[in-house]
Structure formats: C-alpha cells, structure tokens
C-alpha cells in the first residue's frame, strides 16, 4: 500500500525529499545528523500536507514531546510490533 520514493541519512536529505518529492508521509529517525526538530517544523510550515512520523530507537520522552511539538504526527519506537508503524501511517 506504500511506495518508498527516497531515502536519506541527514536532516538535509529530509528537507530535500520534502521539497523535491512532495510526499504524503516522511518517516524520520531522531538521531539523524542535524536539527531534526527544526527540520520537522520547517517541513510542516513549507509542506503542511506532508505528515512526519518519527520511527526511532530513542525512548526519550523529552525528545518525543519535542518532536510532537515541532509538528510530528506520530511517534513509534523501533522494536515495537510492526503493526504500530502501520497504524501510525494510517
């Protein structure tokens, strides 16, 4: 049901994908190089139709709250059942 159109490793990649691909959903990791929270806010401002889902290995409540406050629409921990990621995408 989903098509992966690109992949990145840094915040710069995340912004490029949002600008060039105009995707419906971006899945990002909080440990990406760069200011992930700032990038989420910028993506939401420039592309309000693009939803950002955090899929991370970091169980930090503080980072989760910051990501959600920046505009992320979902937060899923790696290691959770894959159904949780599918639910977040829906």
């Amino acid at each position: 049901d989903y098509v992966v159109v690109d992949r990145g490793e840094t915040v710069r990649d995340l912004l490029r994908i949002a600008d060039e691909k105009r995707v419906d959903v971006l899945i990002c990791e909080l440990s990406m190089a760069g200011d992930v929270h700032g990038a989420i806010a910028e993506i939401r401002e420039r592309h309000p139709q693009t939803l950002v889902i955090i899929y991370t290995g970091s169980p930090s409540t503080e980072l989760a709250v910051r990501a959600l406050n920046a505009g992320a629409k979902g937060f899923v921990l790696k290691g959770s059942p894959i159904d949780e990621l599918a639910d977040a995408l829906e």
Side-chain angles (χ1 to χ4, degrees), residues 9-82:
E9 296 182 12
T10 67
V11 166
R12 181 176 290 156
D13 294 335
L14 197 64
L15 293 168
R16 176 188 54 78
I17 292 166
D19 289 340
E20 292 177 4
K21 307 291 181 165
R22 305 290 176 141
V23 296
D24 295 321
V25 179
L26 279 171
I27 300 173
C28 75
E29 164 64 71
L30 290 178
S31 66
M32 293 179 91
D35 178 9
V36 175
H37 299 96
I40 293 168
E42 190 171 334
I43 289 165
R44 295 295 296 141
E45 182 178 317
R46 291 176 8 196
H47 308 288
Q49 78 286 355
T50 299
L51 302 179
V52 178
I53 303 294
I54 303 300
Y55 186 57
T56 186
S58 173
S60 168
T61 304
E62 178 186 337
L63 292 178
V65 169
R66 283 184 59 205
L68 295 170
N69 286 340
K73 294 299 179 187
F75 186 94
V76 179
L77 285 174
K78 291 180 180 175
S80 299
I82 196 68

